[in-house]
Amino acid sequence: MENWKDRLGIFASVTCAIHCAATPVLLATLPALKFTEWMASPMFHKVAAGVCCSIVAMAIWPAFLKFRDYRILSLSSLGLGLILSAAFFLPETCCTQDLQGIQTVAFQNHDHEHGHDHHHDHQHSHQHISNTESASMQMAGISSLQPWMTPLGGFFLIAAHGLNLSRRRKCNLSGCTRDC
């Protein structure tokens, strides 16, 4: 049975969504835990995108060659395109905007609770978008879409793996002659 490959793909996509939601919160609320910073690093996102490609290549491509279901190929291509674009081609802004806003609120609340002000100097190793890149991204409408590219890509991959599982189950139930 090849179903484990699609289940792995669904698990990886759901894990990615959890990562996207949890990383800014973890980094902002637990700044003392410096080990969490690797979760927002550009290298982590590039490695995760590579793992994602490997899972799709292992689960979706062989099934496409057998069944020629272009819906599954289209969904997985769209999902991978969004994830790879966010990881490799667009400026790395993951967590920086969300993180800065959350940290500001968290530290303001912390200062008011204790009745005194702390001076916090936060250095981020994230790349900053130049004015030219920012303007061209805004013109293309990408800047508003960029934070959603990876979660949307994950959603499309979940849908592709789900359809692939369904296709394999139908093949198994109907006793089709193709190797499922």
Side-chain angles (χ1 to χ4, degrees):
M1 286 250 158
E2 299 288 322
N3 293 346
W4 70 270
K5 294 175 185 177
D6 287 306
R7 288 190 176 112
L8 176 64
I10 291 170
F11 173 78
S13 296
V14 169
T15 302
C16 178
I18 292 168
H19 163 81
C20 289
T23 298
V25 174
L26 285 175
L27 289 170
T29 58
L30 304 171
L33 300 176
K34 294 289 185 189
F35 70 88
T36 58
E37 289 181 4
W38 64 269
M39 292 174 25
S41 74
M43 183 55 70
F44 177 82
H45 293 112
K46 288 178 171 112
V47 169
V51 169
C52 187
C53 286
S54 298
I55 293 171
V56 167
M58 184 175 63
I60 301 291
W61 186 248
F64 171 73
L65 293 176
K66 290 175 191 167
F67 302 120
R68 300 289 183 197
D69 191 336
Y70 285 95
R71 298 172 304 160
I72 296 169
L73 186 64
S74 297
L75 285 169
S76 60
S77 296
L78 181 58
L80 277 180
L82 288 168
I83 289 170
L84 292 172
S85 294
F88 289 99
F89 301 116
L90 297 177
E92 181 65 42
T93 59
C94 173
C95 309
T96 56
Q97 294 163 341
D98 295 337
L99 176 60
Q100 289 169 355
I102 291 170
Q103 281 182 336
T104 301
V105 170
F107 288 124
Q108 284 173 349
N109 290 341
H110 175 72
D111 292 343
H112 294 297
E113 286 174 9
H114 295 295
H116 58 279
D117 291 334
H118 296 277
H119 297 285
H120 300 283
D121 184 23
H122 299 284
Q123 297 293 326
H124 297 286
S125 62
H126 299 285
Q127 300 171 354
H128 295 285
I129 302 172
S130 71
N131 289 338
T132 307
E133 289 172 325
S134 179
S136 63
M137 284 176 56
Q138 286 176 350
M139 287 177 59
I142 295 174
S143 62
S144 61
L145 177 64
Q146 186 175 2
W148 298 99
M149 287 177 76
T150 301
L152 279 173
F155 171 77
F156 287 123
L157 288 175
I158 290 170
H161 286 293
L163 277 174
N164 209 28
L165 275 172
S166 175
R167 181 78 162 135
R168 289 179 194 272
R169 281 189 194 125
K170 285 180 185 175
C171 180
N172 287 337
L173 290 175
S174 67
C176 67
T177 58
R178 293 181 180 172
D179 182 23
C180 299

